C-alpha cells in the first residue's frame, strides 16, 4: 500500500472532488489514461498524484488499484480587485490538499 499527498495546490477543492470521485476504485493505469483526456485542471494534477502514489508503493500502474482518493480544503488566498469609486471587491483563491492511496490489485480484479 502506498500513498501520495499534494498540499496547497491552487485548484478549487469542490471541482477537484468531482474528478477524485470518478477515479476512486479504478485500476491506476486506467485512471491515468482516462484523466489524460479529461478537460479539467484538476485532472492533470490528480493524474500526477496517482503516478506518485503508485511509485511510492513500488508497483506498476497495471497492478495497482486506487483505494482512496480524497480532496480536502486548504487555506484560501484572499485578494482584492479595484472597483468603481475607490471601492474594492474580494477575490477568494481556494487551495486544496489531494491524498491518494493505492494498493496491489487482487488477481481477479481488472
Amino acid at each position: 500500500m502506498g500513498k501520495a499527498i499534494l498540499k496547497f495546490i491552487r485548484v478549487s477543492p469542490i471541482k477537484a472532488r468531482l474528478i477524485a470521485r470518478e477515479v476512486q476504485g479504478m485500476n491506476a493505469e486506467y485512471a491515468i489514461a482516462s484523466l489524460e483526456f479529461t478537460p479539467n485542471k484538476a485532472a492533470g494534477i490528480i493524474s500526477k498524484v496517482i503516478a506518485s502514489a503508485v511509485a511510492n508503493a513500488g508497483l506498476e500502474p497495471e497492478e495497482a488499484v486506487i483505494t482512496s482518493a480524497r480532496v480536502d480544503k486548504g487555506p484560501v488566498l484572499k485578494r482584492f480587485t479595484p472597483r468603481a469609486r475607490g471601492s474594492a471587491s474580494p477575490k477568494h483563491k481556494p487551495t486544496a490538499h489531494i491524498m491518494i492511496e493505492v494498493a496491489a490489485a487482487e488477481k481477479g480484479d481488472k
Side-chain angles (χ1 to χ4, degrees):
M1 179 145 151
K3 69 178 183 177
I5 301 171
L6 180 63
K7 296 178 107 181
F8 305 105
I9 192 71
R10 263 286 291 123
V11 66
S12 170
I14 295 167
K15 293 176 183 178
R17 275 187 205 115
L18 294 171
I19 306 298
R21 286 191 185 118
E22 290 283 323
V23 298
Q24 197 162 0
M26 266 190 193
N27 178 288
E29 184 182 36
Y30 183 69
I32 292 169
S34 63
L35 288 175
E36 188 179 334
F37 299 104
T38 305
N40 189 309
K41 179 181 177 182
I45 295 165
I46 290 174
S47 175
K48 287 183 180 180
V49 180
I50 292 169
S52 178
V54 169
N56 290 344
L59 299 169
E60 291 297 320
E62 53 271 6
E63 58 194 38
V65 173
I66 301 165
T67 55
S68 169
R70 203 171 88 206
V71 180
D72 292 337
K73 188 174 184 278
V76 177
L77 301 172
K78 292 174 179 136
R79 302 290 183 262
F80 289 96
T81 301
R83 301 309 294 257
R85 306 176 82 178
S87 64
S89 289
K91 274 194 174 178
H92 296 283
K93 299 185 173 209
T95 62
H97 305 316
I98 299 169
M99 284 148 263
I100 305 286
E101 288 183 9
V102 298
E106 303 289 324
K107 290 294 178 192
D109 285 356
K110 257 297 178 194

